[in-house]
Amino acid sequence: MVGTINLDEDLYRELGQYGNRDESWNVIVARVLEHLDGEAAREDRENRTTTFNRERPEGGNPAAQALEDGTVVRHRYNRGEYDGQTVEATVRGGQLEYDEELWSPSGAAREADRDVRGTDARDSGYRGPTWWEFQDESGEWVPLNTATSD
């Protein structure tokens, strides 16, 4: 699934001058971003205050909430050059702890996939509750979204 970004009219016209009629907006935006001073953009980002908070007020993902803290979840790659590689995270308070940070299941999937596949990883569209799996009572690895609280 491709995400959608809504642009105001001035920005739309500004970006339009960097593209040709036969190019997608993805190609045009990628071209503009390629020529940005990456260091200056990162410095600007670091100097901004943000209201973003990874804490989820409702306590996290319902499937992760159904599992005990400390439960290990994993994703095993089963095709291509990454076949057989596995990444793990741990349930903590309805979220997943990956690389010493708490994430939603989708956020943890994105970060873990970037660590394994680098530039081959997607930028978005991770469905964490189906990407991660845990061991059920019988020892079978099943998708995280099948966890329920009894």
Side-chain angles (χ1 to χ4, degrees):
M1 178 171 84
V2 175
T4 300
I5 297 175
N6 294 316
L7 304 174
D8 71 17
E9 189 171 335
D10 291 339
L11 181 56
Y12 177 85
R13 291 180 194 281
E14 182 76 21
L15 285 173
Q17 69 181 326
Y18 297 102
N20 297 313
R21 290 179 184 239
D22 62 340
E23 294 178 309
S24 72
W25 282 102
N26 288 343
V27 170
I28 295 167
V29 170
R31 178 181 298 124
V32 170
L33 291 174
E34 182 179 322
H35 295 285
L36 281 179
D37 179 353
E39 196 61 37
R42 278 188 289 282
E43 184 177 329
D44 180 55
R45 181 190 67 198
E46 295 301 321
N47 289 326
R48 292 176 186 239
T49 57
T50 182
T51 58
F52 176 76
N53 185 349
R54 282 199 185 102
E55 298 289 329
R56 295 177 62 161
E58 67 275 8
N61 176 274
Q65 285 178 335
L67 298 175
E68 290 184 29
D69 279 3
T71 300
V72 173
V73 296
R74 75 169 191 190
H75 176 76
R76 181 177 300 252
Y77 292 86
N78 57 15
R79 61 181 166 187
E81 68 183 279
Y82 306 100
D83 187 32
Q85 292 190 44
T86 302
V87 290
E88 294 183 345
T90 306
V91 174
R92 298 267 185 254
Q95 298 183 47
L96 299 185
E97 182 179 348
Y98 175 77
D99 200 23
E100 300 181 8
E101 290 192 52
L102 291 176
W103 302 90
S104 68
S106 296
R110 181 189 63 243
E111 294 301 310
D113 197 36
R114 285 180 182 167
D115 285 349
V116 171
R117 298 190 321 138
T119 58
D120 289 343
R122 299 182 305 221
D123 288 329
S124 63
Y126 291 91
R127 303 219 190 300
T130 57
W131 200 81
W132 294 103
E133 55 188 9
F134 71 100
Q135 279 187 301
D136 65 9
E137 299 82 29
S138 67
E140 294 292 317
W141 287 95
V142 296
L144 177 62
N145 68 344
T146 63
T148 58
S149 57
D150 295 325

